[in-house]
C-alpha cells in the first residue's frame, strides 16, 4: 500500500519527519517496506524568469538568455529549446545541480557553448521526473513553462509536487481497513496521539429526479451489500491538478474527472467504485448474478472473456456490464459525451473475486482490495465521499435516486454494528505478561476508535465499524501493546513453566523410537501433503458409501489434485511408489507417520478428528511377509501382541490381504496391491502396502522395560510338522503352541507343503520350536522333559485345531 506523506498530513497534524514516522509505523505493526523521496534525483533547481532572449553569435539554433533567479541572482543560460521567450517562468538547473537523464542522473556544471558561458540549464518535465498529472505542460517537447506567479528563486521540487515522500506499507491480511490513505491516517493519528480530521466534513445536496433505478442481488452470499446512486448533469472534463497529482503519486494516470473520482475514492477510502454511463444501462436496473455457462464479456481493457457459473457479474436488465469486483465492461464505459452516471459501491465475497481473478487471469486495483476484504461500512462512506467530490468539482449533480441491494440493519454509516466485548484489565495484562495502567488501556483503545466503558476492574469495549477483525480480549491486548510499545515486554516464565534441560517429551521420544524401528527394517521416511485428489478414492475402488470418502473439501485449494483432506494415507504412499518407479527406482521401502482427518459431520460444523496413522510400502525386492515383518518389529519393540486375520480391501489382492488386530480391536491392514490397480498404474513389480492406527496402538506401548537374566544353559530346539485344514493359519498354530507350553518361547514357521497324498483341503506346516531353560538352571532341558513338552503341544494342536503329526 503506497501512501504519500503530504496526503497523510491532510488528515493528521504530523510534526515529525518521514523517517521518524516510518519507525513509529513499524513499532505499531505496519512494516514500511520502502520510504522513497520523490525529489532525490533533482537538486539545486530553482525557479527563474527569462528577462531577455538573444540569438547565439556563432550558432543559429542556440539562444542566449538572461534569467532572474530571485535571491540566487541573475544567470546566463544558453539553450537549444525552441519554446523559450522573454517573460517565461521556467525551472533552472544551476551550477552543481542534479537532474534526471536517460534512466539515471546528470550533474550540471557551468561551461561554454560555442564560446558563450552558460551558467546552468533549463529543465523539461522529463528531466524533473514528472508528467502532466504533476504539472500541466510537463510532457511537451521542450522546456517546462511554469505559472507566472511562481516565486522566483524557489526550489522547484515543492513547485511541481515532488518534494514528497512515499511510504510503501505492507498491510497484513487481517487489516483491510488500512488499504487506504485514510485508513493509514487513522493509525498515524493513534500512534502520534493527534486528532484525526473527519473524512466527511461537508455534505452534498441531492436533488429530486424522476429516474428510478432498482437493484436485484441474486447471490446475497457473494454480494452482501450493493449501493448505487444516479448522478445527472454530468460534465466530462479534466480533473484539477491536486487530484491528478495525488493519483500520479499512487501510480495512476488521470482519465477524466468522473473516472478520477472513483479512483481517488478507492485510494482514499479503500472502497472500489465504478461509474456506468446511464445511456448504456438497459432498463435502469442492476442485477447481481452468476454468469451462465459460455457467457461472454469485454472489459474496459478490451479483453474478451468466456465465463462460467462461478463468475459473479454486474448486469443491467439484459446483459453483463461488469465483472464483479474486478473491472467494468467496455459496453458501459464513461465517454466524453457522458451526461448521466450511475455510481456503484459494493461488497463482494473475497473468495469469489479471487477465484474469478485467478481463473481469468485478470487483476486490478479493485480485485486486490476485494481479495483482502471490504467491510460493509466502506460502500456508504465511499458513496458519500464520491458524491461530495462530484458536486465540489462541478462535474455532476447528485440525486435522491439511491438503489440498495441486500440491505441489512445499518448504523450511522450503514455498516453492521459489531459485537460488544466484555473483559477485564487483568485478562489483558495477564496475556501481555506486563502491567499496563488502566488509563493507558482506555486511552489507546479510544485513540483507535473503540468505544470504551470503564467498570472498575472490568471494561466493555465496542470495536469501530471498520474493525471486524477484533472479536475478543486477545485482540484487544494486541491493539494495546502495539501502541503501548513492545519494548515494555520483559521475558517471564509462564505460571506452569519450569526450567528443564530441554529434549523431547515422552510422547516425542516414543514416536522417534517408532520411526527408528522402521528405519532399522530398511524403510525411509516420506512426508506428503495433508490433502490429495478425490479421484484417488476412485483409484482405490472404494465404495460410494465408504467411510474414507467422507473427506473434508478445501474452500480454496491449490487445484483439484490437492482439494480434499486425507482420510487414509494409502493414496499418498501409492503415489510415492509410482513416482519412484517412473524415475527409475525399481525397488524401495517407505513409511510415513502423519495425521488423517475425519469429519464428525458434513458439511463441517466443528473441528475434524485428527488421528495419527502409519503408512508403509515396499516394492521390487520384498513381499507380503517382509511388510508383515515390519509390523512384527514394531510389536516386539513396544510390547504389542498383534494378531493377523485374513481380510478384504478393494484396493488389495483378495488372496494376500490381512487385518491387523490388537486384542479384539482392528488397528490396521496390510497386503499386496490389487493386480488391476497395478496394471492401471503400469507397475510391473509387486507392490505391498500397509497402514496402522498409531493413536490406537500408542496407549498400549510397553511403559516399563523389565530385564531377565540370560539363561546359563543353551536353549533346546525341536522341529514339528503337522497336517491341518487349509483354512488354519500360521498364527493359530503358533498361538496354540505357545499357550500349551510356557517353556516354549517361540514357534517359527519354516515350511508349508501341499500334496494329494496329504489329503484334499489339507496342508503340512513345519515349525521350529524353541524351549528356554530356567535362568538359574546350569544344564539344558533334559531330552525326556522336552519330549513331554512336545506331547503336550501335539495334544493341544489335535484338540484345538484337529492337527495330526505328519
Amino acid at each position: 500500500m503506497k501512501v504519500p506523506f503530504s496526503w497523510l498530513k491532510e488528515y493528521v497534524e504530523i510534526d515529525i519527519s518521514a523517517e521518524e514516522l516510518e519507525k513509529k509505523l513499524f513499532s505499531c505493526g505496519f512494516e514500511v517496506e520502502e520510504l522513497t523521496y520523490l525529489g532525490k534525483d533533482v537538486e539545486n533547481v530553482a525557479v527563474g524568469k527569462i528577462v531577455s532572449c538573444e540569438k547565439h553569435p556563432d550558432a543559429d539554433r542556440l539562444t542566449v538568455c538572461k534569467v532572474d533567479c530571485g535571491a540566487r541572482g541573475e544567470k546566463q543560460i544558453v539553450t537549444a529549446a525552441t519554446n523559450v521567450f522573454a517573460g517565461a517562468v521556467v525551472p533552472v538547473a544551476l551550477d552543481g545541480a542534479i537532474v534526471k537523464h536517460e534512466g539515471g542522473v546528470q550533474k550540471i556544471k557551468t561551461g561554454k557553448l560555442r564560446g558563450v558561458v552558460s551558467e546552468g540549464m533549463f529543465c523539461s518535465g522529463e528531466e524533473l521526473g514528472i508528467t502532466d498529472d504533476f504539472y500541466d505542460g510537463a510532457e511537451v517537447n521542450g522546456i517546462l513553462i511554469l505559472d507566472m506567479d511562481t516565486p522566483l528563486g524557489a526550489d522547484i521540487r515543492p513547485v511541481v509536487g515532488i518534494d514528497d515522500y512515499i511510504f510503501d506499507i505492507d498491510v497484513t491480511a487481517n487489516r483491510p481497513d488500512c488499504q487506504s490513505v485514510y485508513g493509514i491516517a487513522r493509525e498515524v493519528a493513534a500512534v502520534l496521539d493527534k486528532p484525526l480530521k473527519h473524512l466527511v466534513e461537508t455534505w452534498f445536496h441531492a436533488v429530486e429526479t424522476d429516474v428510478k433505478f432498482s437493484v436485484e442481488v441474486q447471490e446475497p452470499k457473494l454480494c452482501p451489500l450493493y449501493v448505487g446512486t444516479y448522478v445527472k448533469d454530468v460534465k466530462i472534463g479534466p480533473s484539477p491538478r491536486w487530484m491528478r497529482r495525488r493519483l500520479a503519486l499512487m501510480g495512476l494516470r488521470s482519465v477524466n474527472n468522473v473516472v478520477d473520482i472513483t479512483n481517488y475514492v478507492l485510494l482514499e477510502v479503500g472502497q472500489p467504485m465504478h461509474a456506468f454511463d446511464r445511456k448504456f444501462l438497459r432498463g435502469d436496473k442492476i442485477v447481481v448474478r452468476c454468469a451462465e455457462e459460455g457467457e461472454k464479456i469485454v472489459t474496459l481493457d478490451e479483453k474478451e472473456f468466456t465465463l462460467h457459473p462461478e463468475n459473479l457479474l454486474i448486469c443491467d436488465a439484459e446483459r453483463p456490464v461488469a465483472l464483479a469486483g474486478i473491472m467494468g465492461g467496455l459496453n458501459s464505459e464513461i465517454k466524453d459525451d457522458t451526461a448521466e452516471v450511475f455510481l456503484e459501491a459494493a461488497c463482494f465475497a473475497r473468495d469469489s473475486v479471487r477465484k474469478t481473478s485467478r481463473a481469468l487471469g485478470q487483476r486490478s486495483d479493485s480485485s486486490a482490495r476485494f481479495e483482502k476484504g471490504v467491510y460493509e461500512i466502506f460502500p456508504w462512506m465511499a458513496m458519500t465521499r464520491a458524491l461530495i467530490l462530484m458536486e465540489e468539482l462541478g462535474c455532476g449533480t447528485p440525486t435522491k435516486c439511491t438503489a440498495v441491494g441486500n440491505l441489512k440493519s445499518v448504523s450511522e454509516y450503514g455498516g453492521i454494528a459489531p459485537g460488544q466485548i466484555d473483559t477485564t484489565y487483568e485478562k489483558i495484562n495477564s496475556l501481555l505478561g506486563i502491567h499496563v495502567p488502566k488509563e493507558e488501556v482506555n486511552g489507546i483503545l479510544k485513540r483507535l476508535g473503540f468505544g470504551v466503558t470503564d467498570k472498575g476492574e472490568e471494561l466493555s469495549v465496542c470495536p469501530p465499524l471498520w474493525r471486524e477483525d477484533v472479536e475478543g480480549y486477545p485482540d484487544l491486548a494486541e491493539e494495546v501493546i502495539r501502541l503501548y510499545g513492545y519494548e515494555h515486554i520483559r521475558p517471564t516464565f509462564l505460571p506452569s513453566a519450569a526450567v528443564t534441560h530441554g529434549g523431547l517429551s515422552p510422547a516425542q521420544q516414543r514416536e522417534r523410537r517408532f520411526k527408528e524401528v522402521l528405519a532399522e527394517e530398511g524403510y525411509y521416511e516420506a512426508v506428503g501433503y495433508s490433502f490429495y485428489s478425490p479421484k484417488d478414492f476412485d483409484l482405490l475402488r472404494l465404495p460410494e458409501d465408504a467411510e474414507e470418502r467422507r473427506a473434508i473439501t478445501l474452500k480454496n485449494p491449490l487445484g483439484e489434485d490437492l482439494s480434499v483432506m486425507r482420510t487414509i494415507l494409502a493414496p499418498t504412499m501409492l503415489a510415492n511408489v509410482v513416482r519412484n518407479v517412473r524415475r527409475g527406482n525399481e525397488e524401495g521401502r517407505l513409511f510415513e507417520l502423519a495425521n488423517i482427518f475425519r469429519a464428525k459431520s458434513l458439511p463441517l460444523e466443528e473441528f475434524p478428528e485428527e488421528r495419527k496413522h502409519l503408512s508403509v510400502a515396499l516394492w521390487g525386492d520384498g513381499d507380503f511377509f517382509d511388510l508383515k515383518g515390519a509390523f512384527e518389529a514394531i510389536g516386539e519393540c513396544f510390547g504389542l501382541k498383534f494378531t493377523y486375520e485374513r481380510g478384504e480391501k478393494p484396493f488389495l489382492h483378495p488372496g494376500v490381504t490381512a487385518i491387523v488386530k490388537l486384542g479384539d480391536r482392528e488397528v490396521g491392514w496390510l497386503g499386496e496391491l490389487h493386480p488391476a490397480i497395478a496394471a492401471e498404474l503400469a507397475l510391473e513389480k509387486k507392490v505391498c502396502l500397509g497402514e496402522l492406527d498409531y493413536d490406537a496402538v500408542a496407549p498400549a506401548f510397553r511403559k516399563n522395560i523389565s530385564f531377565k537374566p540370560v539363561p546359563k544353559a543353551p536353549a533346546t530346539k525341536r522341529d514339528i510338522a503337522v497336517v491341518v485344514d487349509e483354512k488354519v493359519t500360521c498364527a493359530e498354530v503358533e498361538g496354540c503352541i505357545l499357550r500349551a507350553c510356557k517353556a516354549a518361547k517361540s514357534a517359527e514357521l519354516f515350511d508349508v507343503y501341499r500334496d494329494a497324498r496329504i489329503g484334499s483341503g489339507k496342508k503340512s506346516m513345519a515349525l521350529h520350536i524353541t524351549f528356554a531353560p530356567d535362568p538359574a538352571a546350569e544344564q539344558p532341558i533334559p531330552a525326556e522333559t522336552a519330549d513331554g513338552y512336545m506331547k503336550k503341544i501335539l495334544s493341544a494342536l489335535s484338540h484345538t485345531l484337529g492337527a495330526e503329526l505328519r
Side-chain angles (χ1 to χ4, degrees):
M1 177 66 199
K2 293 187 177 180
V3 182
F5 193 32
S6 59
W7 203 343
L8 287 176
K9 288 181 176 179
E10 181 174 320
Y11 307 117
V12 186
E13 186 181 338
I14 302 175
D15 53 4
I16 59 176
S17 67
E19 291 79 8
E20 290 177 290
L21 182 59
E22 176 187 14
K23 295 177 182 178
K24 288 188 176 293
L25 285 170
F26 182 81
S27 69
C28 70
F30 290 91
E31 180 183 358
V32 179
E33 295 184 342
E34 185 178 12
L35 178 62
T36 304
Y37 179 59
L38 292 178
K40 64 183 177 66
D41 293 334
V42 177
E43 296 180 8
N44 200 26
V45 179
V47 176
K49 183 176 182 179
I50 300 176
V51 177
S52 65
C53 294
E54 298 179 0
K55 287 188 176 182
H56 192 288
D58 295 324
D60 293 339
R61 295 185 179 182
L62 296 180
T63 303
V64 179
C65 301
K66 298 291 184 181
V67 184
D68 179 7
C69 294
R72 302 180 188 236
E74 187 174 276
K75 307 294 180 181
Q76 178 173 284
I77 306 293
V78 178
T79 180
T82 58
N83 65 329
V84 296
F85 56 91
V89 179
V90 295
V92 183
L94 304 175
D95 182 50
I98 294 177
V99 295
K100 291 180 178 291
H101 180 70
E102 295 181 353
V105 295
Q106 178 184 10
K107 190 168 184 177
I108 307 301
K109 295 182 179 180
T110 297
K112 291 184 177 182
L113 290 177
R114 301 291 292 269
V116 177
V117 174
S118 180
E119 299 176 279
M121 181 185 78
F122 295 142
C123 296
S124 65
E126 182 180 2
E127 288 158 334
L128 299 176
I130 61 174
T131 64
D132 283 347
D133 289 336
F134 280 86
Y135 205 95
D136 291 331
E139 296 181 40
V140 300
N141 184 21
I143 303 306
L144 174 62
I145 306 299
L146 303 174
D147 296 338
M148 294 300 297
D149 57 353
T150 308
L152 302 184
D155 187 339
I156 195 63
R157 290 176 292 193
V159 173
V160 298
I162 58 173
D163 186 26
D164 204 349
Y165 288 86
I166 302 295
F167 294 85
D168 190 353
I169 302 173
D170 182 21
V171 179
T172 54
N174 67 317
R175 294 301 305 274
D177 60 296
C178 291
Q179 297 183 102
S180 64
V181 176
Y182 195 71
I184 296 296
R186 272 196 299 260
E187 297 297 318
V188 171
V191 74
L192 297 181
D193 196 8
K194 299 280 188 179
L196 176 68
K197 179 183 175 182
H198 290 295
L199 180 65
V200 177
E201 293 189 327
T202 60
W203 204 260
F204 61 89
H205 301 87
V207 300
E208 298 288 347
T209 180
D210 294 333
V211 175
K212 302 294 181 184
F213 266 91
S214 63
V215 174
E216 178 187 348
V217 179
Q218 297 181 2
E219 300 290 339
K221 289 185 178 180
L222 302 183
C223 179
L225 178 64
Y226 188 98
V227 182
T229 299
Y230 165 64
V231 180
K232 67 175 188 177
D233 302 332
V234 173
K235 299 178 181 63
I236 301 298
S239 298
R241 181 186 293 174
W242 64 266
M243 178 176 283
R244 288 186 283 121
R245 175 181 174 272
R246 286 185 175 173
L247 292 175
L249 289 175
M250 305 286 274
L252 296 181
R253 291 300 304 263
S254 174
V255 179
N256 57 56
N257 48 9
V258 172
V259 174
D260 287 353
I261 285 174
T262 62
N263 288 333
Y264 185 85
V265 172
L266 166 68
L267 300 173
E268 185 179 45
V269 182
Q271 169 65 51
M273 297 190 69
H274 188 66
F276 298 100
D277 189 329
R278 186 212 169 189
K279 69 173 175 284
F280 297 118
L281 293 181
R282 300 172 182 175
D284 284 347
K285 182 178 182 180
I286 294 293
V287 180
V288 184
R289 63 171 175 82
C290 286
E292 298 176 1
E293 188 66 46
E295 196 168 8
K296 297 181 182 293
I297 186 173
V298 179
T299 51
L300 287 170
D301 55 1
E302 300 183 1
K303 295 180 182 178
E304 183 178 65
F305 297 98
T306 301
L307 309 174
H308 54 84
E310 288 189 0
N311 304 138
L312 189 65
L313 292 175
I314 308 299
C315 307
D316 59 18
E318 300 177 11
R319 58 182 182 160
V321 292
L323 274 173
I326 300 176
M327 189 174 289
L330 189 63
N331 56 10
S332 60
E333 70 171 329
I334 303 299
K335 298 184 178 180
D336 292 342
D337 61 348
T338 296
E340 299 171 288
V341 163
F342 184 75
L343 280 179
E344 164 200 278
C347 288
F348 299 112
R350 64 186 72 182
D351 56 336
S352 173
V353 175
R354 181 170 57 248
K355 288 178 181 178
T356 298
S357 177
R358 288 184 180 181
L360 301 180
Q362 183 78 332
R363 290 187 60 81
S364 63
D365 289 337
S366 295
S367 66
R369 282 167 171 79
F370 277 121
E371 286 179 21
K372 285 189 175 181
V374 171
Y375 295 153
E376 292 177 27
I377 182 180
F378 293 165
W380 301 97
M381 295 173 62
M383 183 62 70
T384 300
R385 181 65 171 142
L387 294 175
I388 290 173
L389 289 171
M390 292 283 285
E391 189 173 60
E392 285 184 353
L393 302 186
C395 58
T397 303
T399 72
K400 294 184 179 180
C401 175
T402 297
V404 181
N406 202 21
L407 179 64
K408 299 180 180 179
S409 59
V410 298
S411 58
E412 179 184 358
Y413 283 105
I416 306 303
Q420 178 175 292
I421 301 171
D422 295 318
T423 186
T424 65
Y425 295 100
E426 183 182 357
K427 281 186 176 181
I428 293 175
N429 285 330
S430 63
L431 188 62
L432 297 177
I434 59 174
H435 176 73
V436 183
K438 292 169 55 176
E439 297 75 15
E440 285 284 351
V441 173
N442 293 343
I444 288 171
L445 293 176
K446 288 177 180 177
R447 278 151 50 193
L448 289 169
F450 292 76
V452 182
T453 303
D454 189 342
K455 300 179 180 179
E457 295 303 317
E458 300 179 351
L459 73 160
S460 293
V461 180
C462 185
L465 297 171
W466 57 86
R467 291 302 304 275
E468 294 183 11
D469 60 306
V470 178
E471 299 177 347
Y473 81 89
D475 298 319
L476 297 178
E478 181 182 1
E479 296 300 307
V480 169
I481 194 59
R482 69 186 184 89
L483 262 65
Y484 187 62
Y486 292 102
E487 68 274 7
H488 290 91
I489 295 179
R490 295 291 179 266
T492 57
F493 281 117
L494 294 172
S496 59
V499 178
T500 69
H501 294 292
L504 303 178
S505 67
Q508 290 171 326
Q509 291 175 357
R510 289 192 295 270
E511 187 174 316
R512 184 175 67 176
R513 179 58 189 143
F514 192 88
K515 293 180 179 181
E516 287 174 349
V517 171
L518 291 163
E520 290 164 3
E521 294 293 312
Y523 291 81
Y524 289 88
E525 184 174 8
V527 179
Y529 287 120
S530 294
F531 23 80
Y532 43 49
S533 171
K535 294 180 180 178
D536 288 335
F537 299 133
D538 298 329
L539 176 66
L540 297 187
R541 312 298 203 261
L542 292 171
E544 291 298 326
D545 59 349
E547 182 66 24
E548 291 84 355
R549 284 186 178 270
R550 289 174 50 81
I552 302 164
T553 303
L554 300 181
K555 291 184 67 175
N556 185 31
L558 296 174
E560 185 184 3
D561 290 345
L562 299 170
S563 61
V564 296
M565 303 298 291
R566 295 195 292 189
T567 59
I568 180 175
L569 301 183
T572 304
M573 189 57 71
L574 183 57
N576 289 336
V577 174
V578 172
R579 188 178 301 110
N580 273 276
V581 170
R582 289 178 180 173
R583 293 182 181 180
N585 297 323
E586 296 295 333
E587 58 183 51
R589 301 186 179 199
L590 295 174
F591 78 90
E592 180 179 10
L593 188 61
N595 284 352
I596 64 165
F597 304 84
R598 295 284 175 86
K600 298 175 183 177
S601 61
L602 287 175
L604 200 63
E605 297 178 352
E606 55 182 319
F607 288 116
E609 178 187 13
E610 296 186 38
R611 296 189 66 82
K612 188 162 289 185
H613 273 211
L614 167 72
S615 178
V616 290
L618 64 84
W619 69 97
D621 181 22
D623 57 16
F624 170 88
F625 296 103
D626 292 289
L627 191 67
K628 180 171 174 280
F631 281 64
E632 291 177 341
I634 291 170
E636 182 178 350
C637 179
F638 292 96
L640 304 174
K641 295 184 178 179
F642 290 136
T643 56
Y644 306 88
E645 297 180 0
R646 187 184 301 273
E648 291 184 2
K649 292 288 180 182
F651 50 89
L652 296 180
H653 192 298
V656 194
T657 303
I659 301 299
V660 183
K661 285 191 170 184
L662 184 62
D664 296 331
R665 183 178 182 182
E666 181 180 327
V667 294
W669 50 263
L670 68 155
E672 183 183 323
L673 183 65
H674 198 289
I677 299 178
E680 184 178 338
L681 297 173
L683 295 172
E684 299 178 357
K685 294 194 175 182
K686 191 178 297 183
V687 177
C688 294
L689 300 170
E691 194 156 325
L692 186 68
D693 189 337
Y694 179 88
D695 283 347
V697 302
F701 285 175
R702 182 170 47 209
K703 300 297 187 295
N704 298 311
I705 300 176
S706 59
F707 296 89
K708 294 180 180 179
V710 178
K712 297 178 181 179
T716 300
K717 294 187 177 183
R718 293 288 183 93
D719 292 346
I720 187 175
V722 292
V723 178
V724 295
D725 289 339
E726 185 66 47
K727 64 181 181 179
V728 175
T729 65
C730 175
E732 290 175 324
V733 175
E734 290 179 356
C736 183
I737 292 172
L738 297 179
R739 287 192 299 270
C741 179
K742 292 183 179 181
K745 298 305 178 185
S746 67
E748 299 178 2
L749 179 72
F750 68 86
D751 183 56
V752 177
Y753 177 71
R754 295 177 178 85
D755 192 270
R757 290 171 293 180
I758 295 176
S760 177
K762 299 287 186 179
K763 64 182 176 182
S764 171
M765 303 179 70
L767 301 97
H768 294 303
I769 302 176
T770 302
F771 300 105
D774 186 275
E778 298 286 343
Q779 300 295 327
I781 296 174
E784 58 272 15
T785 304
D787 291 341
Y789 292 159
M790 293 299 292
K791 289 180 181 179
K792 287 178 63 176
I793 290 172
L794 285 170
S795 176
L797 289 172
S798 176
H799 178 73
T800 306
L801 303 175
E804 297 179 0
L805 183 64
R806 181 180 167 195

